[in-house]
Amino acid sequence: MATLSPFSSPFPLPNTSSKFQSPLRQPDLEQLEAQQHHLQPQQAAVEQVNDERLHGSSTKTPESGVSSNHVSGNHSATAYHVAFNQDYGCFAIGTDRGFGVFNCVPFCESFCRYFEHVGGIGIIEMLFRSNILAFVGRGDHPQYPRNKVMIWDDHQSRCISELCFRSEVRSIRLRKDCIVVVLEQKIYVYNFSNLKLLFQIETTANSKGLCEVSQNAGPLVLVCPGLQKGQVRVEHYASNKTKIIVAHDSMLACFALTREGNLLATASTKGTLIRIFNTLQGTLLQEVRRGLDRAEIHSVSFSSTAQLLAVSSDKGTVHVFSLKVNRGNLSANKSNCSSNSRAPVATSNSFSFIRGVLPKYFSSEWSVAKFRLPGVSQYIVTFGNEKNTLIILGWDGSFFRCKFDPASGKEMTQLEFHNFLKPQQPYNGKYG
């Protein structure tokens, strides 16, 4: 359980400046603004923890030692965490000196906050494009403990609430109506308006903090590891149904969820295959192959239409796969997708009579586009707003925007490169 420590009214009206507007629905804002009282332990449905650091000041002034300088200041910053927001239009970074938010297209810095007393931020999550963020400390000099989730209002330049746990926080997910906190073997879901505990889920060991939530205006769909190796647990809270999917024989390494929560892509620690499932029935719709040798999958991302899937790994490549999923009629299409997903048409026609004899990779579906990345950094990927474009972020500060042609199968073309840890460096048209 967690201890709740609101510093003032839990969530003020998010800032709606012209530069960084909040897309939250007006009823949500009214609900947040109306919540003016401090929560009692019983209301928050949490267990008290004897921790004096928990009780923050109720002051309404900005936190001391926070400046609007770039996170690196006059020194080189180290990125601890990089994450896209929920609509993939911008991204946030946590560094050894603070945090920052950047716009993707056009690439530009939205705002950065530098903690003058050297405060590391290890996990950071945006709430769409509002001024509300959530983060956790990290590093030799963390700004906040690793077992605390801090809710930051950038309009006030201070933390407005916190949740403290008995163990280290592994990840955070935000929706307009809830906060999801992931620990090593447990997940907590809180109401965003009053931080009341709604649900808790037990998982297998989850050091990566794997968890995804649907982001459309509909009911919550939450995906997390199950209690057994290779299992995925899908919670449909509207229907109060739980679906357990046996996705892999190995441990889970990464997964992604569509905005509606109806499609799930999973990868295991083996890193050779990515599988796409219908979350309601739990059926396998398609299977694509990244490669033949083992790899650590760093990120998986659906396109907005769920017709394409992007995957990044420690092999220094980003792959794009073509999907055969009919979003409008998943249940009717699942049998066709399952039968056709194992092999391209030419392979099926040529080798169907000896398919049982050939190694499985002969009937695998391979990527339709690829981009080779420099260095050994960890990268995450998403699709850009422009058709057939990708945005790739690296922990080394790399920002790539690339274009691909899924019909040709050729290497992607690099359109942009920037370093968000050193944004003063001009773009020269190519990496380096």
Side-chain angles (χ1 to χ4, degrees):
M1 291 290 187
T3 300
L4 172 69
S5 178
F7 296 145
S8 60
S9 61
F11 295 97
L13 185 68
N15 180 27
T16 55
S17 66
S18 59
K19 185 175 181 180
F20 203 67
Q21 293 188 351
S22 167
L24 297 184
R25 296 168 294 169
Q26 190 61 32
D28 292 335
L29 297 182
E30 292 173 356
Q31 184 182 23
L32 298 182
E33 193 175 31
Q35 188 66 35
Q36 296 295 329
H37 61 278
H38 292 282
L39 299 178
Q40 299 300 320
Q42 295 82 0
Q43 292 175 292
V46 296
E47 175 184 330
Q48 287 291 343
V49 177
N50 184 17
D51 187 350
E52 294 180 358
R53 298 173 301 172
L54 188 68
H55 305 290
S57 168
S58 61
T59 177
K60 296 184 179 181
T61 59
E63 289 193 9
S64 60
V66 180
S67 70
S68 298
N69 298 335
H70 182 263
V71 289
S72 63
N74 296 322
H75 305 277
S76 177
T78 299
Y80 288 148
H81 190 76
V82 182
F84 291 103
N85 75 333
Q86 291 84 352
D87 64 14
Y88 302 102
C90 50
F91 63 94
I93 64 171
T95 75
D96 57 343
R97 296 178 179 274
F99 66 94
V101 171
F102 295 80
N103 194 66
C104 289
V105 181
F107 175 83
C108 64
E109 177 185 306
S110 293
F111 63 86
C112 286
R113 301 293 175 252
Y114 169 61
F115 295 111
E116 295 177 356
H117 300 296
V118 188
I121 299 297
I123 300 172
I124 186 164
E125 184 81 358
M126 300 178 64
L127 180 60
F128 287 86
R129 291 174 177 261
S130 75
N131 52 297
I132 301 297
L133 300 95
F135 42 66
V136 177
R138 184 186 167 183
D140 295 334
H141 305 282
Q143 182 67 14
Y144 306 101
R146 293 191 179 193
N147 65 325
K148 282 188 179 183
V149 175
M150 311 302 298
I151 311 299
W152 175 275
D153 176 12
D154 201 69
H155 183 59
Q156 301 184 47
S157 294
R158 69 183 185 91
C159 289
I160 53 175
S161 285
E162 65 182 43
L163 291 164
C164 184
F165 299 85
R166 295 184 184 275
S167 61
E168 183 176 338
V169 175
R170 297 300 186 180
S171 68
I172 312 166
R173 294 292 180 264
L174 298 184
R175 270 176 49 113
K176 296 174 182 179
D177 55 358
C178 68
I179 302 174
V180 180
V181 181
V182 183
L183 307 183
E184 177 74 23
Q185 291 185 297
K186 189 161 286 190
I187 294 175
Y188 295 97
V189 182
Y190 296 90
N191 188 306
F192 213 143
S193 65
N194 56 17
L195 297 186
K196 181 179 180 180
L197 182 64
L198 301 176
F199 315 104
Q200 53 182 306
I201 303 168
E202 291 187 3
T203 71
T204 188
N206 186 16
S207 61
K208 291 186 175 182
L210 299 178
C211 181
E212 296 296 339
V213 295
S214 58
Q215 292 294 345
N216 67 347
L220 172 66
V221 178
L222 183 149
V223 177
C224 64
L227 290 173
Q228 302 296 325
K229 180 177 66 175
Q231 282 187 355
V232 180
R233 175 171 176 166
V234 183
E235 293 288 345
H236 295 272
Y237 287 101
S239 57
N240 197 27
K241 291 183 178 179
T242 301
K243 174 63 66 175
I244 301 297
I245 300 173
V246 181
H248 300 275
D249 295 330
S250 305
M251 296 291 292
L252 295 170
C254 190
F255 50 68
L257 192 65
T258 55
R259 286 182 57 84
E260 298 83 359
N262 55 0
L263 292 176
L264 169 70
T266 68
S268 74
T269 52
K270 190 175 180 180
T272 55
L273 298 172
I274 295 88
R275 292 175 174 143
I276 294 86
F277 296 90
N278 178 327
T279 60
L280 192 59
Q281 285 83 25
T283 52
L284 175 65
L285 302 178
Q286 192 171 347
E287 181 179 275
V288 297
R289 181 173 290 275
R290 180 212 56 82
L292 301 178
D293 53 344
R294 298 180 70 95
E296 181 180 353
I297 303 299
H298 289 156
S299 75
V300 181
S301 180
F302 285 97
S303 66
S304 59
T305 60
Q307 294 177 335
L308 297 168
L309 187 77
V311 178
S312 65
S313 73
D314 66 348
K315 293 298 183 180
T317 55
V318 170
H319 295 266
V320 173
F321 299 90
S322 178
L323 300 184
K324 302 175 181 178
V325 176
N326 184 345
R327 298 176 76 194
N329 189 10
L330 285 173
S331 59
N333 193 53
K334 64 183 179 182
S335 60
N336 292 332
C337 288
S338 297
S339 61
N340 293 333
S341 65
R342 300 287 178 163
V345 174
T347 304
S348 177
N349 291 339
S350 302
F351 299 108
S352 58
F353 68 99
I354 56 171
R355 181 178 298 173
V357 179
L358 291 173
K360 191 174 182 180
Y361 59 77
F362 276 93
S363 60
S364 296
E365 291 191 61
W366 299 80
S367 61
V368 297
K370 183 192 299 183
F371 184 70
R372 300 184 187 279
L373 293 159
V376 293
S377 178
Q378 178 175 339
Y379 294 91
I380 61 173
V381 61
T382 193
F383 289 89
N385 292 330
E386 184 182 342
K387 185 178 180 180
N388 294 339
T389 59
L390 280 183
I391 295 173
I392 306 166
L393 305 178
W395 262 241
D396 60 356
S398 299
F399 173 98
F400 293 93
R401 191 165 72 91
C402 305
K403 190 173 182 62
F404 62 92
D405 181 1
S408 70
K410 295 181 179 179
E411 292 273 341
M412 299 185 202
T413 301
Q414 180 180 308
L415 301 177
E416 289 184 66
F417 171 79
H418 305 277
N419 190 316
F420 52 79
L421 295 178
K422 301 175 182 178
Q424 70 277 9
Q425 293 186 351
Y427 167 56
N428 60 10
K430 62 181 180 179
Y431 177 76

